[in-house]
Amino acid sequence: MTLEGSLEARVSTDGDGTGSPAVAFRFTVTNTGAEPLELQFSDAAKAEFVVQDEDREVWRFTEGRAFMQMLSAERLAPEESTTYDGEWERPRPGEYTAVAELRAQEASCEARTEFIVPD
């Protein structure tokens, strides 16, 4: 999915809660433009991960967590990617949608993927 003109995003899951107490998320953001981009962040949480059951939110990565308040920046050259990770511990069995969103100050993009946590 491309938003903000020159950012493309995708999210994937590693694991399904089977044999592991968690589902890991990998959110990759790529600069598809011809110019370098500088992503500015106001805290250490550079990406948000949300798990939805249909339209109902069942888990949010940043909920109940504290993140260091610090200004930082990441520069992405044309066609360069960066990846952010999150983890949902003790997921409940079911069919879900994972939504990942970049938390940069002046750029935004998001990606979605469906996944299943078996019984």
Side-chain angles (χ1 to χ4, degrees):
M1 167 182 278
T2 301
L3 297 174
E4 292 290 299
S6 58
L7 287 177
E8 182 177 293
R10 70 180 183 279
V11 63
S12 61
T13 60
D14 297 330
D16 57 11
T18 303
S20 170
V23 174
F25 301 100
R26 180 164 285 249
F27 180 47
T28 303
V29 177
T30 303
N31 177 3
T32 59
E35 299 294 324
L37 287 176
E38 186 156 318
L39 304 175
Q40 302 283 333
F41 300 95
S42 59
D43 63 26
K46 296 179 179 179
E48 177 70 273
F49 298 92
V50 176
V51 174
Q52 298 174 336
D53 180 357
E54 296 185 11
D55 289 333
R56 185 177 60 89
E57 183 176 306
V58 296
W59 176 82
R60 179 175 289 269
F61 178 70
T62 58
E63 188 172 311
R65 297 176 187 228
F67 295 93
M68 184 178 298
Q69 300 294 305
M70 61 182 203
L71 296 177
S72 65
E74 288 186 29
R75 185 176 175 87
L76 289 179
E79 301 305 318
E80 185 177 16
S81 298
T82 188
T83 301
Y84 308 102
D85 298 310
E87 187 174 81
W88 181 22
E89 296 181 8
R90 296 179 299 282
R92 294 172 289 210
E95 295 182 24
Y96 300 103
T97 301
V99 181
E101 182 178 1
L102 186 66
R103 291 179 40 135
Q105 292 179 352
E106 296 179 12
S108 67
C109 64
E110 74 172 35
R112 296 170 175 262
T113 191
E114 309 293 320
F115 69 102
I116 295 173
V117 176
D119 289 327

